[in-house]
Amino acid sequence: MESIVIYFCCENTASSEEFRFANGSIFLAGLWDKNAPRPVSALFRVEGGGTVRTDLGKNIGVKTGGAAEDMVIETITAENASAHELQECVGMLRSDPVAGLSSAEATRRRQFHGFNEFEVNDPEPIWKKYVEQFKNPLILLLLSSAIVSILMKQFDDAISITVSVVIVVTVGFIQEYRSEKTLEQLSKLVPPACHVLRDGREHEMLARELVPGDVVLLNTGDRVPADVRLIEASDLQIDESSLTGETEPKHKVTNAIPRQSNGGHVEHMANVAFMGTLACSGRGRGLVIATASSSHFGEVFIMMQEQESPKTPLQKSMDHLGKQLSIYSFGVIGLIFVIGLVQGRNVLDMFTIGVSLAVAAIPEGLPIVVAVTLAIGVMRMANRRAVVKKMPAVETLGCVTVICSDKTGTLTKNEMTAVVVVTAEGRRAEVTGLGYSLDGGSCTYEGQLVSGWSHPEVSAIIEAGAVCNNAAIVGESVIGQPTEGALVVLAKKAGLESCRLAYTRQKEIAFTHENKWMAVQCINQQGQIMNFCKGATDRIIDICDSYLSADGRRIPLDPQTRKRINDGACAVASQGLRVLGLCRGESMQSLQLLGMVGMWDPPRPGATEAIEVVKSSGVDVKLITGDSRETAQSIGERLGIHSTSDMCLSGQQIEQMSEHDLEMVIRQVTIIYRATPRHKLKIVKALQTLGEVVAMTGDGVNDAAALKKADIGIAMGISGTDVCKEAADMVLCDDDFSTLEHAIEEGKGIYHNITNFVRFQLSTSVAALSLIAASTIFHFENPLNAMQILWINIIMDGPPAQSLGVEPVDADIIRQKPRNTKQPMLNGRLIAHILSSAAIIVLGTLWVFYKEMSADNKITPRDTTMTFTCFVLYDMWNALSCRSSRKMIWEIGLLRNRMFCLAVSGSLLCQLAVIYWAPLQHVFQTEALSAYDLVFLTILSSSVFVFNETRKYIELRHGNELPSAGKGDFVPTDIKTT
């Protein structure tokens, strides 16, 4: 048992009670206010170390036996502050809404809370970032082989390997140097200065100086410096799109708002202004309830710190390949060592031979090919309006199995468009055209074009929307709210843009959270007063006493008519449209309902087609949005993401699910609505647990943690915040989902090219080493001399091999299933191809060698020249067949890869020079061959090409394509979803 005196202070009146309790017990206490008629109840939980936790805030610091001045009340959560009356919040924070805190009190609180800024860890030194590039198994293996080469005095190998490693490490370092600055960008969203009430006077000070209990002033254009409970809100509208994704500014109020059953969503807390959001109109005053990491924005910051960017699938594949090659290298050494022991040969000699062959087998050109191929992919993507920040990320899209996409601005244009006008009697006028452009736009009513006042019952609705409006259209962009911009464009399509000039505005009643409508009072050219009003349809119906009939009569609204109109509005809303009701009248006490306008945010051009292509390739697309279910479903169905058999989940349902429950259903879910940052992160984790490779798109602060956690985070370049751009691996400059289709295509092509290079290089390596190893171990005559082996190594790692990495992407590769990232690059299928090609090259080359040598049983320059040329020609044919593992050479085009054609042509010309140019004949110990010899060797060496092309034909004919990622079987569940 422990005794603690807890002091409560409210409005400068302190009282104390002594309680005896054990840690973990719960008790009810009260906060007494001298001006309050009753105590304000609060539930406290006692924890160790003299800390008391409460439902009013996060916790209260308590000093045992202290004085009232020693008590420090910490921050209040936005949800609790929103649900309590302003006076209660002021009492909790011991502040004064008129005078603010005193400077001394602010200083004391800052000692407890710290500054209103995010703690960013000191960046790693540049040299350390560079050194970390060497922590790659393949790089370490290459460095080991370079050291061994130096010890064995094979300096040419050591130099080539070292140069390769330095090039690869430097390219990777330069590409990734600017990518890890997410936390720095987070701190930039905290405004540097703000206006605060201190000691009863207004001060301008740094936002980092704020503490809970401060009173801040907000004006148009100010960025909110901390989470604040609003004290005053005069026509205050705040852009919260960075947190909610909603394009409409939020109208703010000051009254308490009851708690929501779903745990409190940002959009429901209309009396709280959140850190990092922007005041776009009006003015206000607020009580700081949370700063820095305690704010809602701070929750995103903490989630960001907790997440680590996963390795890309390509990095994992290359790591695994490095380990495989290490194992195979040790296997070669061990095998030769054992053979040497059996033959009774010198152990040291056999070990030296084994190490030399193992080092020679390591493809030092592979890291360069990977780096160059990825760099070219990055450049190609830049030309397609996508900036890739980390080179390996461009390949990741090739194996993505699930894309979690935002709606607004990514799948849709973020441009509201009026699509239907409905009269009070239920007749509809259809509107064509998208966005704020007039191209192809028109309004037709019962098959007739609406032009001016040709159809008064429809034109009256359009006129009301245009006059009760503060937006303007400049070019194809809107200045003002998107919904009002849509009404202005509608008026232009109907030829009624001049109707705004016919009225002079006298007064405006701004939209409020309580009213949910906006009204303007105008005088027309005849001097008559006219009121126009627009807003939520149900509220507009409530304030109207009549409606406009088709023949222009004014008919009273009875209960049955009100219900019919309301049902019609619900029917329009069920199509995913935002519905605005419009009315007019000589006075606000006698308004006439005109009708309603349905508008929506249209899909981006090409988004539907891109989704169809992506889904046909085996990639699931999931729509994650903060919108309502109806809106999300409507957009999902229009885009081809959602069907009646698919499932929808709400953020609230996800909140209530365990991780296991979510994993059981998430594959069958196509739409997640009313999602919060935590929900998005939970979805990404659930999919990754199931083995999916996840791409996540986003544009707001709320998306940053999920972007970082996803296998590839994709930020929007136009609408995206700095935070999400820095957290992401790729930025779409045009915010267009269809760009992802090209990125997926590029990613699949990159991996395809890398595997083609591996197949060529390893088959050549195995063939060359088999020749040397066989002759060395079994005391055969060596068919190739040292200079000829060096030339083969140059070809193996040089231009012909490197050019395979820049093979143009096949047009239909996007249709291929995502690769299984759990399967190693060097799998059984690829090993079989490597060994079969190597066997053909070795057998053909040995046959030529012994055929030539059998004539006189001596090795002559002609014998080695025929053998050497045969091997080089085999290499060229093998490289040609390795250009594609899926298609025949005539299908991909013989001359399509210009770099390959130049590399092979150059290699063949150099080979002819080695054979026929006297200086090189002396160096390589060759002699001139006849035309017949060259034709014979060319036909013989083409056998490897014929074999590989025949194999491709058989595999394609029998549908033996590259294996794709397994999606798993459906798991039944009893979890109820919408």
Side-chain angles (χ1 to χ4, degrees), residues 59 111 136 242 280 330 348-349 450 453 457 582 684-685 763 791 886 937 959:
N59 60 64
Q111 292 173 351
N136 181 307
S242 63
C280 51
F330 285 115
L348 184 60
D349 289 344
V450 176
W453 287 91
E457 66 273 32
L582 297 110
V684 171
K685 288 181 177 179
S763 59
W791 175 248
R886 304 170 46 249
L937 292 176

Side-chain angles (χ1 to χ4, degrees), residues 540-800:
I540 293 295
I541 294 174
D542 289 342
I543 63 175
C544 291
D545 58 10
S546 60
Y547 69 91
L548 178 67
S549 67
D551 56 7
R553 291 183 298 123
R554 184 168 189 154
I555 301 176
L557 275 170
D558 54 39
Q560 291 80 13
T561 306
R562 292 178 189 272
K563 184 179 184 304
R564 174 182 58 77
I565 296 173
N566 261 321
D567 291 343
C570 292
V572 175
S574 67
Q575 301 173 13
L577 304 182
R578 179 174 184 179
V579 186
L580 286 180
L582 297 110
C583 62
R584 71 182 180 191
E586 290 77 12
S587 72
M588 291 299 294
Q589 288 71 41
S590 179
L591 293 172
Q592 181 184 33
L593 178 67
L594 302 175
M596 64 193 85
V597 176
M599 56 187 71
W600 75 313
D601 188 4
R604 280 184 171 273
T608 304
E609 294 77 7
I611 290 171
E612 180 186 359
V613 171
V614 168
K615 291 183 71 174
S616 68
S617 69
V619 180
D620 292 333
V621 180
K622 299 186 187 298
L623 181 64
I624 304 179
T625 179
D627 284 337
S628 66
R629 182 188 61 181
E630 293 79 10
T631 301
Q633 282 183 326
S634 175
I635 292 293
E637 289 169 1
R638 288 176 183 265
L639 292 171
I641 295 175
H642 181 72
S643 65
T644 53
S645 60
D646 294 325
M647 296 164 60
C648 295
L649 277 182
S650 68
Q652 184 180 2
Q653 289 172 317
I654 292 175
E655 193 75 41
Q656 295 168 352
M657 286 182 179
S658 66
E659 293 182 359
H660 176 69
D661 291 338
L662 182 59
E663 290 166 11
M664 292 182 69
V665 299
I666 192 61
R667 276 192 171 128
Q668 287 72 51
V669 174
T670 55
I671 290 178
I672 299 96
Y673 61 95
R674 298 299 187 202
T676 67
R678 246 177 239 286
H679 301 149
K680 294 183 178 183
L681 188 58
K682 193 173 180 180
I683 290 164
V684 171
K685 288 181 177 179
L687 289 167
Q688 289 177 331
T689 301
L690 294 172
E692 305 286 359
V693 180
V694 184
M696 169 76 184
T697 72
D699 58 0
V701 172
N702 58 340
D703 299 319
L707 288 175
K708 189 175 181 183
K709 178 62 178 174
D711 294 282
I712 178 165
I714 305 164
M716 301 299 107
I718 298 175
S719 60
T721 61
D722 287 342
V723 179
C724 75
K725 289 177 186 176
E726 290 301 325
D729 304 296
M730 187 169 82
V731 179
L732 299 183
C733 297
D734 52 8
D735 290 12
D736 196 342
F737 183 89
S738 60
T739 305
L740 290 182
E741 177 188 346
H742 305 307
I744 292 173
E745 178 183 83
E746 193 67 47
K748 291 181 177 180
I750 285 172
Y751 190 80
H752 185 65
N753 288 348
I754 291 173
T755 54
N756 290 341
F757 170 84
V758 170
R759 183 168 65 253
F760 167 73
Q761 191 171 58
L762 291 184
S763 59
T764 302
S765 296
V766 170
L769 295 176
S770 297
L771 285 173
I772 300 168
S775 60
T776 302
I777 294 172
F778 300 107
H779 300 285
F780 296 156
E781 295 291 343
N782 198 331
L784 302 172
N785 59 45
M787 289 303 299
Q788 292 169 350
I789 293 174
L790 177 62
W791 175 248
I792 290 173
N793 277 331
I794 292 173
I795 292 177
M796 186 173 65
D797 293 321

